[in-house]
Amino acid sequence: MHGLICPVCGADLLKTKKSYICPAGHCFDIARQGYVNLRLSSQSALRRHGDDRAMVRARTAFLDRGYYRPVLDAVAAAVLSRASDGCAVLDAGCGEGWYTAQIAQMLRERVSGAWVVGVDISKDALMAAGRRDPELTLAVASNARLPLAAGSCDLVLNLFAPLEPDEFSRVLTPAGTLIRAVPLEEHLMGLKKAVYDTPRPNDPPEMQVPGFELTSVQDVYGSLSLDSSADIRALFLMTPYYYKTGAKDQAKLNALSRLETELAVRVAVYRKNA
């Protein structure tokens, strides 16, 4: 049986029409947008609450244009080749649900009884994910403290989101699979060149994950041709660069109506160590 667990006592949560409740009486209301907040107030105070509304809108607008479709195809192929009836798939750091919703739909078409849950620390992102697919199970929570029982997931997706090997290992079954998507060194270099005087490549991705064995790697390369200032702005807003860039450099980007930049992403598949 798949389901969420109480962040207070760790017991299974029973879903009712309007809330989740555990045997000890801890109750968590379901927001009208479909998500439940399982991040405790003590955890929420530790860091900012993920993507804000502007970043979510930008991410939704950009991803809906299909620019990252090759990445989705690579991730989906890895998921579908390992999915089976009744499997549980966690998207850890699901954001606004573009990947989550489409993979969930693919699973519904190919296997029966699959359960797909998305976890993110951003309420704004989960509101958007709920609009994409009302059938998703969505919870506000940190990857460092997932509201899922030990051994309850068959696959964990970790797509451009914080890596928490211990938690991923805990929630995966003994034969579970971790699928990551990470930017390669040259990813979005054209965007950086348009903004910064001295653009730097991304750090090489660290491929070793404690507790996991790397089983396959697929590098996704392409060129993104953005032909509107709106798309360029949306791409910039959905990256970490936006909040680290001064007004002078941002003005360079705002003046552009066309941009060519690189798509360079590694999709890596891992098996949980016995």
Side-chain angles (χ1 to χ4, degrees):
M1 180 177 178
H2 305 313
L4 301 170
I5 63 171
C6 177
V8 178
C9 66
D12 291 339
L13 287 170
L14 174 66
K15 184 179 181 181
T16 67
K17 187 175 181 180
K18 295 184 178 180
S19 63
Y20 285 86
I21 188 168
C22 78
H26 301 121
C27 185
F28 306 89
D29 293 336
I30 300 172
R32 60 182 177 84
Q33 297 90 348
Y35 69 87
V36 60
N37 190 348
L38 298 180
R39 196 170 191 226
L40 302 178
S41 57
S42 58
Q43 297 173 289
S44 300
L46 296 178
R47 61 184 72 178
R48 73 180 184 88
H49 296 178
D51 291 352
D52 60 25
R53 197 164 298 173
M55 290 185 76
V56 170
R57 284 197 298 263
R59 196 178 300 275
T60 298
F62 185 84
L63 292 173
D64 280 349
R65 293 292 303 276
Y67 290 114
Y68 276 28
R69 181 74 200 197
V71 180
L72 170 64
D73 289 344
V75 172
V79 171
L80 295 174
S81 68
R82 293 162 176 82
S84 59
D85 291 349
C87 65
V89 180
L90 164 66
D91 191 350
C94 67
E96 50 77 74
W98 186 74
Y99 296 95
T100 329
Q102 294 187 79
I103 287 172
Q105 182 57 39
M106 294 176 194
L107 286 168
R108 292 180 195 125
E109 294 169 356
R110 289 164 175 81
V111 301
S112 63
W115 182 61
V116 180
V117 54
V119 166
D120 202 275
I121 60 173
S122 168
K123 293 180 183 178
D124 290 316
L126 292 183
M127 289 179 192
R131 289 191 292 269
R132 286 195 181 280
D133 187 346
E135 293 185 41
L136 293 173
T137 298
L138 299 169
V140 179
S142 166
N143 282 0
R145 189 171 179 179
L146 295 167
L148 293 127
S152 62
C153 297
D154 300 288
L155 296 102
V156 170
L157 310 183
N158 181 229
L159 313 177
F160 309 105
L163 175 68
E164 295 288 350
D166 290 345
E167 269 296 88
F168 296 167
S169 180
R170 182 186 68 80
V171 302
L172 279 168
T173 63
T177 298
L178 168 65
I179 300 173
R180 300 174 65 203
V182 294
L184 294 168
E185 292 93 321
E186 61 270 48
H187 186 58
L188 301 183
M189 182 55 74
L191 175 67
K192 294 181 182 181
K193 289 178 178 177
V195 177
Y196 305 119
D197 294 332
T198 56
R200 296 182 177 85
N202 300 314
D203 293 332
E206 174 54 59
M207 300 312 300
Q208 298 302 313
V209 177
F212 291 87
E213 177 187 353
L214 180 64
T215 60
S216 69
V217 168
Q218 179 179 351
D219 290 344
V220 180
Y221 289 105
S223 178
L224 305 180
S225 298
L226 282 60
D227 57 6
S228 76
S229 57
D231 285 356
I232 296 168
R233 181 73 174 171
L235 173 59
F236 189 50
L237 269 169
M238 67 179 257
T239 70
Y241 312 138
Y242 174 74
Y243 291 100
K244 301 175 182 178
T245 303
K248 181 181 177 181
D249 284 335
Q250 287 194 32
K252 299 177 189 175
L253 196 80
N254 293 337
L256 295 177
S257 59
R258 182 169 178 77
L259 177 71
E260 294 278 341
T261 192
E262 298 80 3
L263 175 69
V265 175
R266 176 165 293 169
V267 175
V269 179
Y270 299 80
R271 180 173 53 241
K272 178 180 171 180
N273 288 340

